[in-house]
Amino acid sequence: MSSCINNETYLVIFCGLIVNPHSFFGRLVTGCSALNLLLPVKALEIFCYMTYQQTLDFLFTRLPMYSRIGLAAYKEDLNNTIHLCKSLGNPQQKIKTIHIAGTNGKGSVSHMLAAIFQTSGYKTGLYTSPHLQDFRERIKINGEMISEDFVIDFTGRIHPLIDEIEPSFFEITVAMAFDYFEKQKVDIAIIETGLGGRLDSTNIIIPELCVITNIGWDHTNLLGDSLEKIAREKAGIIKEGIPVIIGEVVEETQPVFEKTAKEKKAPIHFAFKTRQAMEWKWDKHDLVVEVAEVNKTDHKVYRLDMGGLYQIKNLLTVLEACSQLKPGWLIDENFIQRGLSQVKKLTGLNGRWEIIEEHPPVILDVGHNEDGIQQIIRQIELTDHHQLHIIFGTVNDKPIDNIISLLPNTATYYFTQAPIPRALNAEILLEKAQAIGLSGKTFPDVNSALKEAKEKATKNDLVIVCGSIFLVADVKR
């Protein structure tokens, strides 16, 4: 049955339509039917027929997405996120959170803290970005991804606002995470910033603790052309009276953090001042680290199921965070030890010096900026191998000349690109690489590059895929 009202077509109910009575549309139909209300056709088009995949297609194509198109998707204020969350009843105000920013390491620190809270018995939300394989990796509770039904339901509920305020993909996913965590009644949610801090969509929370891992050269077109400016943007997550942990500093960034913390009356703690890694070793791909704490004679040993040496700095940051969270949270040393030993298992962390094959080892690492590539190179230098094969691709808004200048000229290169508009063309990448003495050839995609690298490599060689998160995400497992 239909009628015309104000030039819009409305339907009451589709006869014979089977809907989940607990879904948003099911509740909507039931409520409208009981009240004899009419539903707009546009709403029915969205809510009735969308599968999970159709919902994702809608989100990916309808909303501007920074990871795909870059600067055009960036929103320079928090208005949309505030508006979205207000329409949802401000769920972010009803949950306890920890907020984490930084150029590198913020994802690893987020996953480590989530694993520790999970092991300690807390219902733990985890919001990170971007995802590698599945959109739902961004939003997890105790390691379990958000349900497909919730993604569909949420998209239906906020669809009218999408037309009204034109939010970005990231703004929508942040609001979705807050709504999901609140509805699922998490005890704590670990929230990783997407880009920067001050204007990041996640920066509408009042957390229990703020963490800034480090500052490096990345997204300079948005965050600033100096380390001080970048640090100022990251320091934007520091809140009035809320403790903040700083993982690493350089001469230019420490005064920025100290000044901001003083202005906000926020207690500031530098992780590197309270603990030091004395020794480390690899044991069956795990990283085993001996840590000494200031003014304590006994050393503690931590086993991490993440083999990257750069995790040592992240470990010290996490340990200081745990120290500051006590006694409000029941996180004892046993839970910390157990959580850190199974981060990948508990939270699904991937792409950090991740070994996906042996003989030869094939390793995936999402390092993509100058600091990240430097860490990968240091790790390669300490890893036994005969010949080095590097599959490399990047995006077009990075300082590519600076990045490729860090790459070893002894490696064989397989230049390629991720299937996103923002990817740098592999032929351009090859030209730049050849100009500084790197040798290799181009491939249309990462998997064809990886196939040839494995065919050429012997069992004692080393194969690395790096340079872009989106390149690593496209590797077939």
Side-chain angles (χ1 to χ4, degrees):
M1 174 169 40
S2 66
S3 62
C4 288
I5 302 176
N6 296 330
N7 295 322
E8 288 191 60
T9 303
Y10 286 75
L11 302 182
V12 178
I13 290 181
F14 282 160
C15 294
L17 179 65
I18 299 174
V19 296
N20 180 349
H22 301 294
S23 70
F24 171 74
F25 179 66
R27 296 193 302 272
L28 185 63
V29 167
T30 302
C32 288
S33 178
L35 296 173
N36 197 28
L37 297 177
L38 303 178
L39 295 175
V41 167
K42 182 178 287 187
L44 287 174
E45 288 174 353
I46 294 298
F47 303 141
C48 289
Y49 298 115
M50 271 198 176
T51 64
Y52 173 66
Q53 187 56 53
Q54 288 169 335
T55 302
L56 285 191
D57 292 342
F58 170 78
L59 292 174
F60 287 144
T61 57
R62 175 67 175 78
L63 307 175
M65 188 175 180
Y66 181 84
S67 60
R68 296 185 62 82
I69 65 175
L71 186 60
Y74 184 65
K75 302 297 180 74
E76 294 185 343
D77 58 58
L78 301 176
N79 292 339
N80 279 350
T81 308
I82 292 170
H83 194 156
L84 284 165
C85 288
K86 184 178 180 180
S87 75
L88 297 165
N90 285 317
Q92 78 284 358
Q93 296 176 3
K94 302 171 186 176
I95 56 175
K96 294 184 177 181
T97 58
I98 296 172
H99 205 189
I100 302 175
T103 301
N104 292 301
K106 61 183 183 292
S108 294
V109 167
S110 297
H111 283 264
M112 286 181 186
L113 283 173
I116 290 169
F117 272 99
Q118 285 175 230
T119 307
S120 301
Y122 292 106
K123 189 174 185 179
T124 307
L126 175 62
Y127 175 76
T128 58
S129 63
H131 62 274
L132 290 182
Q133 304 291 325
D134 188 325
F135 164 80
R136 296 180 301 140
E137 295 169 22
R138 295 168 178 257
I139 304 171
K140 297 179 180 179
I141 295 178
N142 286 357
E144 295 293 326
M145 295 187 292
I146 185 173
S147 71
E148 294 182 358
D149 283 345
F150 191 93
V151 176
I152 298 170
D153 178 83
F154 178 87
T155 305
R157 282 187 284 130
I158 53 84
H159 179 262
L161 269 181
I162 292 178
D163 288 335
E164 178 185 339
I165 67 175
E166 296 289 329
S168 70
F169 177 87
F170 190 74
E171 288 169 333
I172 289 293
T173 60
V174 168
M176 184 187 298
F178 292 155
D179 192 50
Y180 185 63
F181 293 151
E182 190 273 326
K183 282 183 167 51
Q184 294 296 315
K185 307 300 181 188
V186 297
D187 297 313
I188 188 76
I190 315 299
I191 308 295
E192 179 198 13
T193 60
L195 193 159
R198 181 175 64 92
L199 297 177
D200 189 79
S201 295
T202 62
N203 200 29
I204 64 169
I205 57 177
I206 305 299
E208 304 282 294
L209 181 73
C210 299
V211 180
I212 302 174
T213 56
N214 63 11
I215 300 299
W217 295 100
D218 203 7
H219 302 298
T220 54
N221 57 332
L222 295 172
L223 304 182
D225 57 2
S226 70
L227 292 179
E228 294 96 326
K229 290 178 181 178
I230 297 172
R232 199 170 297 121
E233 290 299 312
K234 306 284 187 184
I237 73 165
I238 299 175
K239 302 295 190 302
E240 192 75 29
I242 304 298
V244 57
I245 308 298
I246 308 297
E248 301 175 62
V249 296
V250 293
E251 183 179 354
E252 300 95 322
T253 62
Q254 183 165 338
V256 175
F257 295 136
E258 291 173 335
K259 180 176 183 291
T260 306
K262 184 177 180 181
E263 291 171 349
K264 298 288 187 180
K265 297 182 175 58
I268 187 169
H269 307 274
F270 295 96
F272 59 89
K273 289 185 178 182
T274 55
R275 288 172 184 80
Q276 182 179 0
M278 305 303 294
E279 293 185 9
W280 64 269
K281 66 179 180 179
W282 283 308
D283 182 21
K284 298 178 181 178
H285 301 314
D286 286 354
L287 181 64
V288 181
V289 186
E290 181 183 334
V291 176
E293 188 173 351
V294 173
N295 299 325
K296 292 188 178 179
T297 56
D298 60 320
H299 295 184
K300 296 174 182 176
V301 177
Y302 298 91
R303 173 180 286 268
L304 282 68
D305 63 342
M306 303 172 288
L309 278 181
Y310 48 79
Q311 300 295 1
I312 294 176
K313 295 177 181 178
N314 294 331
L315 168 65
L316 300 182
T317 303
V318 167
L319 293 177
E320 182 60 21
C322 290
S323 176
Q324 296 304 320
L325 287 164
K326 299 173 183 177
W329 296 88
L330 300 177
I331 304 172
D332 67 25
E333 183 63 25
N334 181 51
F335 294 142
I336 295 173
Q337 297 268 2
R338 287 167 51 197
L340 292 172
S341 69
Q342 48 185 341
V343 175
K344 292 195 291 186
K345 176 183 176 182
L346 290 173
T347 71
L349 177 66
N350 290 309
R352 278 71 170 181
W353 200 256
E354 180 187 1
I355 302 173
I356 62 169
E357 293 185 29
E358 299 272 10
H359 314 301
V362 176
I363 297 173
L364 311 181
D365 199 291
V366 295
H368 58 279
N369 51 38
E370 291 178 58
D371 287 350
I373 296 299
Q374 285 175 337
Q375 297 289 350
I376 292 172
I377 300 307
R378 291 191 190 105
Q379 184 100 9
I380 289 172
E381 291 171 349
L382 293 169
T383 303
D384 290 335
H385 63 274
H386 180 249
Q387 177 63 31
L388 178 61
H389 303 260
I390 296 182
I391 299 157
F392 190 85
T394 187
V395 291
N396 56 26
D397 54 7
K398 299 289 183 187
I400 185 57
D401 293 329
N402 294 348
I403 290 173
I404 63 173
S405 70
L406 302 171
L407 298 174
N409 58 16
T410 55
T412 300
Y413 287 90
Y414 308 75
F415 296 107
T416 185
Q417 60 198 62
I420 59 172
R422 194 170 151 228
L424 180 66
N425 183 278
E427 295 293 341
I428 296 175
L429 186 55
L430 175 63
E431 289 178 13
K432 289 180 174 291
Q434 288 176 332
I436 60 170
L438 304 183
S439 61
K441 62 180 185 177
T442 63
F443 295 82
D445 60 78
V446 67
N447 291 299
S448 59
L450 181 55
K451 181 176 182 292
E452 177 147 336
K454 290 193 294 184
E455 288 173 353
K456 286 189 172 182
T458 69
K459 66 177 183 178
N460 295 319
D461 288 354
L462 182 62
V463 180
I464 307 285
V465 181
C466 64
S468 168
I469 294 171
F470 312 105
L471 200 70
V472 170
D474 207 40
V475 172
K476 292 179 180 177
R477 306 285 177 136

